[in-house]
Amino acid sequence: MSRGLIVVDVQKDFCEGGSIPVAGGARIATAIADLVERSAGGDYQYVVATRDHHIDPGSHFSDNPDFQDSFPVHCVAGDEGGEFHPGFAPAVTGGKVDAVFFKGAHSASKSGFEGSDTHGTSLADWLRARGVKHVDVVGIATDHYVRATALDAVKAGFRARVRLDYSVGVAPDTTSAALDDFRQAGVAVSGAAPAE
């Protein structure tokens, strides 16, 4: 039974120096690259990554964001901020990541399961075609994109686990709420969030 690793939105705009940075994002980017290097073809038969890739996401971009549904401009297709963080990028360019799924061209699209690869294949279909039944989800941010991706993994019929030691949240209260959501949905959780 194949296990896959889903690396969620480890992009420049979500790390220190980006347009909506999450504290600890750069450190997590490097940690995830190390995990991928150690695990590709071993613990994980497949490794995929998701990318926010906005063209015209409508009200998702706002000058007065609520930081739940609307945010400042970020991860615009073709802009530097939408690129993978340099701490993680070598895992992609070095061939350790099997596929990249782009999401949010014309919508908010928090979940990686709303994305597709360059051939138009959805994440769920890509994983199913390779016999993946279990997925581990890591990345940025535990309380937003990681949360949405893990919950959608379960809805799509996968067994899902969030690895907190390779994920970083925006805020303690929303991260705690995400952990409650995981428990209720049957998403397993392992590790502890890294200390700042």
Side-chain angles (χ1 to χ4, degrees):
M1 190 177 300
S2 293
R3 180 180 292 275
L5 177 67
I6 303 173
V7 180
V8 177
D9 295 6
V10 181
Q11 295 168 263
K12 291 181 180 180
D13 270 346
F14 298 138
C15 296
E16 293 84 349
S19 63
I20 45 175
V22 179
R27 185 185 68 251
I28 284 295
T30 302
I32 292 171
D34 291 342
L35 172 67
V36 170
E37 184 68 34
R38 292 192 317 268
S39 303
D43 293 345
Y44 301 108
Q45 285 72 45
Y46 299 99
V47 177
V48 301
T50 69
R51 274 178 65 171
D52 240 15
H53 189 72
H54 296 307
I55 295 171
D56 180 11
S59 61
H60 185 53
F61 285 173
S62 174
D63 292 332
N64 299 294
D66 63 15
F67 293 95
Q68 288 298 319
D69 298 309
S70 59
F71 293 86
V73 173
H74 62 278
C75 297
V76 173
D79 283 1
E80 183 75 10
E83 298 299 319
F84 288 119
H85 186 275
F88 173 66
V92 181
T93 58
K96 299 294 184 180
V97 173
D98 297 296
V100 176
F101 294 84
F102 299 87
K103 60 187 179 64
H106 300 283
S107 65
S109 292
K110 288 186 177 183
S111 168
F113 283 88
E114 297 175 78
S116 59
D117 66 9
T118 55
H119 304 290
T121 304
S122 72
L123 176 55
D125 286 345
W126 193 96
L127 292 169
R128 287 189 193 111
R130 288 154 182 81
V132 174
K133 304 288 187 186
H134 299 256
V135 294
D136 281 357
V137 184
V138 300
I140 306 171
T142 311
D143 39 354
H144 291 281
Y145 302 117
V146 170
R147 173 190 173 277
T149 300
L151 295 177
D152 276 359
V154 170
K155 289 177 188 172
F158 299 95
R159 294 185 65 178
R161 174 177 66 167
V162 171
R163 295 188 63 173
L164 294 178
D165 42 346
Y166 293 98
S167 303
V168 63
V170 172
D173 58 339
T174 50
T175 299
S176 178
L179 297 181
D180 289 340
D181 291 341
F182 295 153
R183 282 189 284 272
Q184 292 175 15
V187 175
V189 175
S190 72
E196 283 300 315

